[in-house]
Amino acid sequence: MKTFSNYINGILTPPISGNYLNNYEPATGKIYSLIPDSTDLDINMAVIAAKNAASGWAALSNEQRSDWLMKIAARIEQKQEEFAVAESRDNGKPISLARTMDIPRAISNFRFFANAITQFGGESHHMQGIGINYTLRQALGVVACISPWNLPLYLLSWKIAPALAAGNTVIAKPSEITPFTAYLLSEVCIDIGLPIGVLNIVHGLGPKVGDSLCTHHDVKAISFTGGTATGRRIASVAAPLFKKMSLELGGKNPNIIFADCDYDQMLKTTIRSSFANQGQICLCGSRIFVERSIYDRFKIDFVSKVDSLKIGDPVDEDCKMGAVVSETHLNKVLSYISLAKEEGGSILCGGHRKIMHGRCAEGWFLQPTVIEGLPHDCRTNQEEIFGPVVTITPFDSEDEVIMYANSTEYGLSATLWTSNLGRAHRMSEKLVSGIVWVNCWLVRDLRTPFGGMKNSGIGREGGYEALRFFTEAKNVCISY
Ligand code: NAD
């Protein structure tokens, strides 16, 4: 059985306690590796390594740091297939998705910020006849990057890359549920000879090792992606310590479909936006609102397409839906399906655990599920389920659907299908949501601000927003 190590001060390091956690393969429900059950002792060691490396790394030119990020990207690219197989095995996602989305995007994250840092500048403000101000953007020092299990390397690298590019040294805490590709990233850093202490990766449980990272005096900023409850906990311990925080949290995204949309394109994309990665993408649209005049047609076509989605062993090339990430998560999603029934919903398809045969007989598979007949304000339509479960609801007017869409505590993303340009602009303005996709879904330009409103988070990632987060602005005022 493979045993992973932490990556501290440039070397693979076992946890000081000597304790390990089981790591499961969702498709089989079996333990296949062990990860360090790290403690504050490991965090202390990582912080010392990161502090020692900080001034040297910050002193490199932007071009030199950019070169290191390019080297990381190139090495991951060389090992792309090994990374994709690991991601699929660890998370339960189809191998085709890991190959076409997760790993290519992780590579792009490093390349994107390697380029962005060479174009990043400070502002200057001229005061006529008096003087000039210029703003330095300096690295913060040691920063924490904490990521969830749904897009493991994709989201971890989305934080590590801008943090390193801006001249910080990093302690990364990947999800304990999906540690494999973060471990492979340690090997990449060793292979390319990344200066020691610049990046440290510490594995373990959130409330234990994550908490001690967030409360460590020498950690200056926390970039966190995960659930809203965890974000609240982190904010409660880190805010009194005046740490900078970027929190990317949960969502309950609306997918709004008007009768005048390009129907075929909408239908194809709505299958993806509902069930990609088993519905475990924070940007998936789990509340589908359909204009009443096409509701019945949509319902028949959508349910028939969902019924034909191929659930399979994630290693199969033609698998479209793999396993959900853990048994706990499977049971959570199933409990929401029971709740939907109690609340009066009708299950149009799915609704049960999918029992597989052979290697996957004990795997955590779930049928993609479509539910109708629920009011917009019931718990099923208000709480994040984060699995292959969507509700469909008819609407009659723009005002009505805006009210439905904005009625949750979340505001991460929204999808809008219409060919009416005026309506697209009007609705985009009114949606309380950090991201609005019109006639598309998950089309990403890495320069754009990414993040949520309300309880979906604080701050924005992406492009210069991320570089600004990972730097401190210092204004210098010079009198003539
Ligand atoms: P989670 O909050 O349980 O865990 C996320 C990370 O935080 C893990 O690494 C975990 O170990 C760590 N953690 C847990 N408790 C901690 C603590 N007290 N202190 C510090 N770290 C701690 O989330 P999850 O179940 O891994 O991921 C699913 C959630 O992530 C969903 O709510 C989803 O919407 C959200 N998500 C949001 C985005 C976004 O961009 N907004 C993207 C992906 C996922």
Side-chain angles (χ1 to χ4, degrees):
M1 186 171 315
K2 196 156 179 64
T3 302
F4 300 143
S5 299
N6 292 327
Y7 169 61
I8 298 176
N9 209 28
I11 45 179
L12 295 176
T13 313
I16 292 173
S17 68
N19 296 332
Y20 287 85
L21 301 163
N22 293 331
N23 185 32
Y24 293 85
E25 179 175 3
T28 62
K30 297 201 168 70
I31 299 166
Y32 81 101
S33 59
L34 298 174
I35 67 159
D37 181 8
S38 307
T39 66
D40 53 345
L41 299 175
D42 303 283
I43 289 293
N44 285 340
M45 195 158 75
V47 172
I48 291 168
K51 269 181 82 175
N52 289 340
S55 58
W57 181 250
L60 294 184
S61 67
N62 287 342
E63 286 71 20
Q64 286 170 314
R65 275 184 258 109
S66 170
D67 284 348
W68 281 114
L69 263 58
M70 287 292 189
K71 281 186 195 158
I72 295 175
R75 186 72 182 133
I76 298 175
E77 199 164 44
Q78 280 168 358
K79 299 173 81 170
Q80 195 158 348
E81 183 59 15
E82 184 184 350
F83 270 90
V85 169
E87 203 70 293
S88 165
R89 186 168 195 200
D90 221 16
N91 175 277
K93 67 180 68 205
I95 181 70
S96 58
L97 192 67
R99 275 191 194 126
T100 55
M101 183 178 77
D102 292 79
I103 308 307
R105 173 57 194 276
I107 296 166
S108 298
N109 288 340
F110 282 108
R111 292 219 167 105
F112 175 81
F113 283 106
N115 286 317
I117 195 62
T118 66
Q119 307 299 313
F120 186 51
E123 313 86 72
S124 92
H125 298 89
H126 180 211
M127 301 163 81
Q128 280 162 316
I130 299 174
I132 187 154
N133 296 272
Y134 64 90
T135 308
L136 293 174
R137 289 257 162 205
Q138 294 174 309
L140 303 170
V142 180
V143 300
C145 296
I146 304 176
S147 56
W149 48 256
N150 65 324
L151 302 168
L153 191 66
Y154 174 136
L155 289 175
L156 192 65
S157 55
W158 182 231
K159 298 176 180 306
I160 291 174
L164 291 178
N168 303 282
T169 54
V170 172
I171 299 170
K173 212 303 271 169
S175 169
E176 59 273 35
I177 301 170
T178 51
F180 200 171
T181 47
Y183 173 75
L184 293 179
L185 178 62
S186 318
E187 293 186 343
V188 160
C189 295
I190 293 168
D191 289 352
I192 64 160
L194 186 72
I196 61 170
V198 163
L199 173 63
N200 304 275
I201 302 177
V202 183
H203 297 274
L205 297 171
K208 198 155 137 187
V209 77
D211 194 69
S212 84
L213 182 56
C214 293
T215 49
H216 198 292
H217 179 73
D218 290 323
V219 171
K220 301 297 175 200
I222 301 162
S223 174
F224 168 80
T225 299
T228 293
T230 313
R232 189 172 282 120
R233 159 80 195 158
I234 290 175
S236 76
V237 297
L241 301 172
F242 303 114
K243 294 182 191 298
K244 256 186 135 175
M245 267 182 285
S246 164
L247 303 176
E248 298 293 338
L249 310 176
K252 185 76 179 173
N253 309 311
N255 177 5
I256 302 169
I257 299 166
F258 283 92
D260 63 8
C261 70
D262 175 339
Y263 187 84
D264 293 340
Q265 187 60 29
M266 174 279 297
L267 192 62
K268 203 166 66 180
T269 309
T270 296
I271 292 290
R272 268 199 327 117
S273 67
S274 304
F275 300 112
N277 205 37
Q278 297 72 249
Q280 302 167 136
I281 298 182
C282 55
L283 306 163
C284 280
S286 53
R287 293 179 297 148
I288 305 176
F289 299 112
V290 187
E291 196 168 9
R292 195 175 301 277
S293 59
I294 59 163
Y295 184 81
D296 289 336
R297 178 184 173 201
F298 174 82
K299 178 168 128 178
I300 292 165
D301 293 345
F302 186 63
V303 168
S304 117
K305 274 196 179 300
V306 175
D307 262 337
S308 66
L309 279 176
K310 188 171 178 321
I311 306 176
D313 188 336
V315 300
D316 291 344
E317 300 291 329
D318 63 346
C319 164
K320 290 280 178 282
M321 283 194 62
V324 299
V325 78
S326 68
E327 189 169 25
T328 311
H329 194 57
L330 174 74
N331 290 332
K332 176 191 152 183
V333 179
L334 284 169
S335 77
Y336 270 104
I337 295 172
S338 303
L339 174 71
K341 288 186 214 159
E342 283 163 30
E343 290 185 318
S346 310
I347 310 292
L348 299 178
C349 65
H352 301 284
R353 182 174 182 167
K354 166 95 176 168
I355 302 300
M356 309 283 282
H357 302 290
R359 186 183 101 85
C360 297
E362 287 167 49
W364 303 313
F365 294 84
L366 189 57
Q367 296 168 338
T369 300
V370 182
I371 305 169
E372 75 164 350
L374 288 170
H376 75 278
D377 55 356
C378 68
R379 280 185 56 207
T380 308
N381 269 329
Q382 292 289 313
E383 296 177 15
E384 185 183 44
I385 299 175
F386 211 55
V389 177
V390 296
T391 61
I392 60 172
T393 309
F395 69 86
D396 294 297
S397 71
E398 283 183 23
D399 285 347
E400 180 191 9
V401 77
I402 282 284
M403 187 273 284
Y404 292 165
N406 290 343
S407 68
T408 73
E409 63 171 300
Y410 298 107
L412 186 54
S413 72
T415 306
L416 185 57
W417 291 95
T418 179
S419 58
N420 178 328
L421 190 59
R423 171 186 282 152
H425 288 300
R426 206 162 43 237
M427 299 276 297
S428 299
E429 208 176 292
K430 289 181 185 164
L431 284 163
V432 183
S433 167
I435 300 152
V436 180
W437 275 296
V438 181
N439 298 330
C440 60
W441 177 72
L442 204 48
V443 175
R444 293 283 290 117
D445 178 329
L446 303 187
R447 294 169 300 180
T448 58
F450 179 94
M453 296 184 181
K454 298 195 276 184
N455 292 358
S456 289
I458 314 175
R460 292 292 180 272
E461 298 187 320
Y464 293 152
E465 298 278 348
L467 294 177
R468 280 192 276 268
F469 173 74
F470 282 116
T471 50
E472 194 79 82
K474 181 194 288 174
N475 192 66
V476 181
C477 177
I478 302 175
S479 172
Y480 287 168

